[in-house]
């Protein structure tokens, strides 16, 4: 069974469109994340949710809006897509507190390659 | 702000040799440091974690060291194999609060030639 899954795997769209990426984890983790990996492979955090509450919101355009309907799901909606949004977007999850300690080992999904034309 | 540098963008070594990858950070010392492996078209996969009070950690052919004085972590793969070819990312986190975040380096692409 897939631990962290994302859909779609590939997304090709025109500039100005609105699109969503979905993420689900079946690990029972309490924290979920969205990362963006650019063409230079630099992986940068965008958002983090802990028990459905937004705890990290990096300097990301407000065209990006995460939504966490429950602990196991974190979706990313992007409005008015721009050329510079083209990248691979990774969802991840972690159990921030385990046995009284926080290690924050990240479990990543397979990624969604977004191409904006 | 905290910066991480993996000082080799690419590393090419002969099979059987030990691969050594470097991760340097500036400013504050992290609570722990992690190493991940990423294959093309896939998400990163966690390999090892080392805490600030640990000097060394081993897992099979992998070894990680952590020197808080030098602000450096070294990642070693002994008896390297072509299957070890991948991009390796280091990541660190400073605080233990739920609002802290992991910062990733840009990775080192390791190629093991037969």
């Amino acid at each position: 069974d897939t631990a962290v899954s994302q859909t779609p795997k590939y997304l090709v769209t025109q500039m100005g469109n609105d699109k969503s990426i979905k993420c689900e984890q079946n690990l029972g983790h309490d924290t979920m994340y969205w990362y963006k990996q650019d063409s230079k492979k630099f992986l940068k955090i965008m958002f983090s949710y802990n028990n459905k509450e937004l705890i990290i919101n990096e300097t990301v355009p407000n065209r990006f809006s995460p939504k966490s309907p429950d602990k196991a799901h974190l979706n990313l909606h992007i409005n008015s897509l721009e050329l510079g949004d083209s990248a691979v977007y990774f969802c991840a999850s972690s159990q921030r507190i385990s046995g009284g300690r926080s290690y924050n080992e990240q479990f990543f999904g397979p990624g969604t390659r977004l191409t904006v034309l | 702000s905290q910066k991480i540098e993996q000082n080799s963008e690419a590393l090419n070594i002969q099979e059987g040799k030990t691969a050594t990858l470097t991760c340097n950070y500036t400013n504050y010392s992290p609570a722990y440091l992690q190493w991940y492996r990423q294959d093309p078209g896939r998400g990163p996969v966690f390999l090892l974690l080392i805490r600030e009070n640990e000097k060394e950690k081993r897992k099979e052919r992998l070894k990680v060291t952590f020197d808080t004085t030098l602000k450096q972590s070294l990642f070693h793969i002994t008896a390297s194999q072509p299957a070890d070819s991948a991009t390796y990312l280091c990541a660190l986190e400073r605080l233990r609060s739920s609002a802290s975040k992991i910062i990733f380096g840009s990775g080192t692409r390791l190629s093991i030639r037969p």
Side-chain angles (χ1 to χ4, degrees):
Chain A
D1 285 342
T2 305
V4 181
S5 59
Q6 293 178 231
T7 54
K9 188 164 173 61
Y10 300 96
L11 188 52
V12 182
T13 188
Q14 296 289 330
M15 213 165 44
N17 284 349
D18 303 338
K19 290 293 178 185
S20 292
I21 308 172
K22 295 187 175 181
C23 178
E24 176 181 1
Q25 55 98 0
N26 62 7
L27 297 167
H29 288 165
D30 61 4
T31 307
M32 295 185 72
Y33 311 80
W34 277 110
Y35 287 87
K36 178 180 180 180
Q37 189 169 46
D38 59 26
S39 57
K40 294 185 177 179
K41 306 300 182 188
F42 190 57
L43 193 64
K44 191 171 181 186
I45 192 167
M46 300 172 67
F47 302 102
S48 173
Y49 272 74
N50 179 260
N51 287 316
K52 299 194 299 174
E53 181 185 346
L54 181 65
I55 55 170
I56 293 175
N57 185 350
E58 287 297 283
T59 308
V60 175
N62 57 15
R63 298 181 295 103
F64 290 78
S65 53
K67 279 190 173 49
S68 182
D70 55 58
K71 246 174 56 167
H73 296 84
L74 180 62
N75 304 323
L76 183 65
H77 188 76
I78 315 170
N79 289 327
S80 304
L81 278 156
E82 300 178 357
L83 295 176
D85 297 333
S86 296
V88 181
Y89 292 84
F90 286 101
C91 176
S93 73
S94 72
Q95 185 60 31
R96 290 208 68 96
I97 301 295
S98 176
R101 310 190 82 161
S102 173
Y103 298 130
N104 210 12
E105 170 192 341
Q106 308 273 292
F107 289 78
F108 284 86
T112 297
R113 180 173 293 278
L114 171 65
T115 303
V116 182
L117 304 174
Chain B
S1 61
Q2 181 68 285
K3 289 184 181 177
I4 302 178
E5 288 181 359
Q6 292 187 247
N7 61 353
S8 295
E9 189 175 320
L11 187 62
N12 194 324
I13 68 166
Q14 183 75 40
E15 181 178 7
K17 302 289 186 186
T18 296
T20 298
L21 284 63
T22 305
C23 177
N24 294 292
Y25 58 92
T26 60
N27 300 334
Y28 55 78
S29 282
Y32 51 79
L33 195 146
Q34 303 179 21
W35 283 90
Y36 289 78
R37 168 181 173 145
Q38 186 174 21
D39 290 286
R42 294 178 178 268
V45 175
F46 172 80
L47 295 174
L48 277 170
L49 175 149
I50 187 164
R51 290 190 288 272
E52 59 185 333
N53 60 350
E54 296 176 321
K55 296 288 186 191
E56 183 179 297
K57 203 69 148 324
R58 289 176 186 260
K59 179 182 176 183
E60 297 173 352
R61 295 184 296 111
L62 308 180
K63 184 177 86 170
V64 172
T65 63
F66 194 4
D67 189 326
T68 55
T69 302
L70 292 178
K71 296 189 176 181
Q72 181 182 82
S73 174
L74 299 179
F75 177 80
H76 306 272
I77 305 175
T78 58
S80 60
Q81 304 166 2
D84 295 326
S85 298
T87 296
Y88 291 85
L89 306 169
C90 72
L92 57 82
E93 184 173 9
R94 180 189 188 185
L95 301 175
R96 294 174 178 84
S97 72
S98 61
S100 67
K101 61 181 186 238
I102 284 188
I103 301 172
F104 281 84
S106 56
T108 296
R109 191 172 65 253
L110 177 65
S111 298
I112 309 296
R113 59 181 186 274

